[in-house]
Amino acid sequence: MNESVLIARAEKFLDQVKRQRIQVDEINDFESFIVVYHYLKKNIDEMYEFRDTMEIKGYKAPYRSLIRSSRSSTTELKAEEIHDVSRQTQYFRMKAAAKKNVLDRVKSSIASHKIAIGHLEEFATITCKKCGKKYIRHEIEYIESKKCTCGSTDLKLDKNEQGVYRLDALKYLPMSGEYMVRISDLSPLGREAFRNIVRILKHEKRGIVKTLSLVVKVFEDGRWIRKRENIDADEEVNYEKEIRKKYGSNARIEFIQFYRKKPAIINDKNVQTAIAIAYVKSAGEIANKIQDKVLNDILANEEKINIYDDAFIKATEFAESITPDLEDRKEIRNEKLNEILNENNLMDNNDILDEELENDIEKRKEIKRKLFIEIPRILILWDIAKYYLTTTYDRRSKYSGPFPNLRPNLDSNQLKAFKDFDKEIVEILKDYTDEKIEYVPVIKDVVAKKFDIENKIKGLHVKSDPPAVGSAILNITGNIPIEIAANIFSVNPSHVQKEKEKIETFGKPTSKRAIQFLEMIKK
């Protein structure tokens, strides 16, 4: 396919996606759900085709040919020829930029579609009314032509109460790859929250050695020469033996350089960007809805704050009508503001602000900042923690879920990303929203405990109820009462108690014979 045609087709398709945005608010039955789900699946298949074709054609490194041509000598060219070469280079540079930009958009769009599909799969439980078969999570993709495998079309949609999803955030995903536009639309606080989330998701694992580069001294043709050898890392391999097998007994390793791979928590920059935008915008919507109620309950004197706000608006309008100069305008505004506050007995003759009003102004500024900075961070870390707690290692390894490219487990360095939540903001979310959340001291220990249990039961074929296990860990390590932990993950408290007993007795003898055997060993 011609390159110009390929770019035009991809851009046309992405623009079509932009116009036909998904309406998750209208999902209320199986029909409306499956239409959106299949639409997203169809789109992502189309974009995989675009991406693969573009990568085969070299769109990942479009400037490479320009770099090669720029190295060629131009000393023998005439002035007119140099001008022509410069014009041609500029033309090819523009084409290279177009290739890079369209591939970038396609990859961003793919990431957004994967996130949206993952959240929809977590949200839905589809039941066939005829045979009773249930489809959850990745099994939903097996529903073809809106039919169950038994042939029935009588399917029912229910919410998966144990799923980890935020359908309200999907409308903010850059579905057509327009992530730069989305970022530019963020407020200053939104941008700060966005950077914080990306920084969290980029948290790298301690380096895993993947390859080694060896400098080997070899005796050949009567003289010593040095060779460089690249090999894959393997703990069980004796590198010196391997080198001597290849180059003879006189070969010596002089230098070893280790190349490490450092996978991030979410190991895809496009997914990091898309999910950060969605959570920041969604959390910003929550903050905007609740901030007035929160401030009304927290501030000491709402009347004084209202007088101050009106005075500030009047002073600003007055200053703007007097002068266009910004510095003079600021000075005039402050003078007018002090005058109005003085008239309302909120400032004395020494320009000292009323203490109660001053405290409320500072408190309002602090609360607003916390709402728009902390809520996005808390929500994404809480959702990731819940996902780790309620899923098995196998599921996280095989299926992308609501967080594509999420590491199936984390090391101690990556767990540092789970910084303790702001207790005040957690209480605000509990009191002013429908969020099922609790303040958990040292949240990283709760997640670490889940990984520890998974390592212990690996290969033992122990049957468990993952959401109940998550609730039990929240109770044991997070000191959350069983009833509250069970409510967070929508499980029966009796199931949580059962899993808790399993965890506490794991590795300990439970039968009389086992106890007697251990006592005999001790003797």
Side-chain angles (χ1 to χ4, degrees), residues 38-71:
H38 282 161
Y39 169 73
L40 292 173
K41 294 290 280 186
K42 183 183 173 185
N43 282 357
I44 202 168
D45 289 342
E46 184 79 20
M47 282 182 292
Y48 278 137
E49 288 288 332
F50 281 127
R51 185 198 65 183
D52 294 345
T53 305
M54 288 173 180
E55 287 182 348
I56 289 168
K57 287 179 173 289
Y59 282 32
K60 282 178 77 173
Y63 296 101
R64 193 170 291 167
S65 58
L66 290 172
I67 294 168
R68 280 201 299 267
S69 64
S70 66
R71 288 175 182 166

Side-chain angles (χ1 to χ4, degrees), residues 124-171:
T125 298
I126 295 169
T127 310
C128 176
K129 291 182 180 179
K130 183 181 177 183
C131 68
K133 183 173 181 178
K134 286 191 175 183
Y135 297 86
I136 58 170
R137 299 191 170 101
H138 65 279
E139 296 168 356
I140 293 169
E141 68 178 295
Y142 302 139
I143 301 174
E144 295 180 1
S145 304
K146 304 178 185 178
K147 287 181 182 179
C148 175
T149 50
C150 71
S152 173
T153 56
D154 195 2
L155 300 168
K156 184 181 74 166
L157 172 74
D158 293 304
K159 271 188 184 181
N160 177 11
E161 297 295 342
Q162 295 177 347
V164 179
Y165 56 85
R166 290 193 183 275
L167 296 193
D168 291 342
L170 302 190
K171 60 188 173 188

Side-chain angles (χ1 to χ4, degrees), residues 325-346:
D325 186 85
L326 291 176
E327 289 186 12
D328 291 343
R329 191 186 293 174
K330 188 176 179 181
E331 189 177 340
I332 293 168
R333 184 199 66 195
N334 290 340
E335 287 178 6
K336 186 65 177 175
L337 177 62
N338 292 350
E339 180 188 325
I340 298 171
L341 292 175
N342 196 285
E343 289 172 2
N344 287 277
N345 299 318
L346 294 177

Side-chain angles (χ1 to χ4, degrees), residues 194-380:
F194 170 79
R195 286 193 296 271
N196 288 345
I197 290 179
V198 171
R199 203 175 295 122
I200 287 167
L201 301 180
K202 278 183 176 177
H203 238 81
E204 292 180 336
K205 191 171 183 177
R206 282 197 178 94
I208 304 167
V209 177
K210 300 299 288 182
T211 56
L212 297 93
S213 180
L214 311 177
V215 174
V216 184
K217 197 172 183 181
V218 182
F219 192 75
E220 284 184 3
D221 300 327
R223 63 194 181 96
W224 288 97
I225 60 172
R226 288 181 175 82
K227 292 189 175 184
R228 184 171 287 275
E229 185 77 17
N230 295 318
I231 57 176
D232 293 332
D234 190 337
E235 291 180 6
E236 297 178 3
V237 172
N238 185 320
Y239 301 119
E240 194 166 0
K241 267 188 182 179
E242 293 298 314
I243 290 298
R244 286 179 177 176
K245 273 184 191 177
K246 186 171 182 178
Y247 294 109
S249 59
N250 290 325
R252 296 289 183 272
I253 297 173
E254 284 196 334
F255 175 74
I256 301 178
Q257 187 169 6
F258 298 96
Y259 291 96
R260 300 174 186 272
K261 183 181 179 183
K262 295 185 177 181
I265 292 177
I266 289 182
N267 207 27
D268 184 306
K269 67 174 186 177
N270 293 300
V271 175
Q272 291 169 3
T273 301
I275 212 161
I277 291 169
Y279 268 80
V280 168
K281 293 288 281 183
S282 178
E285 187 179 350
I286 293 170
N288 278 321
K289 281 180 183 176
I290 66 173
Q291 69 170 331
D292 289 340
K293 290 180 183 177
V294 172
L295 292 172
N296 288 344
D297 293 341
I298 289 176
L299 300 181
N301 195 318
E302 187 185 352
E303 186 181 350
K304 288 182 180 180
I305 280 283
N306 290 336
I307 293 171
Y308 175 85
D309 289 341
D310 290 340
F312 190 87
I313 292 168
K314 287 177 183 176
T316 303
E317 290 174 350
F318 177 77
E320 287 174 353
S321 66
I322 296 293
T323 177
D325 186 85
L326 291 176
E327 289 186 12
D328 291 343
R329 191 186 293 174
K330 188 176 179 181
E331 189 177 340
I332 293 168
R333 184 199 66 195
N334 290 340
E335 287 178 6
K336 186 65 177 175
L337 177 62
N338 292 350
E339 180 188 325
I340 298 171
L341 292 175
N342 196 285
E343 289 172 2
N344 287 277
N345 299 318
L346 294 177
M347 181 175 280
D348 62 18
N349 294 328
N350 296 320
D351 291 344
I352 297 174
L353 199 62
D354 178 86
E355 187 177 351
E356 187 178 48
L357 174 61
E358 188 174 14
N359 290 338
D360 275 353
I361 290 169
E362 287 302 315
K363 187 68 177 173
R364 180 172 68 171
K365 187 178 177 182
E366 180 191 350
I367 291 294
K368 277 190 172 183
R369 178 174 175 78
K370 277 187 176 183
L371 288 175
F372 287 95
I373 298 293
E374 283 297 308
I375 287 180
R377 183 183 77 87
I378 288 171
L379 290 184
I380 194 163

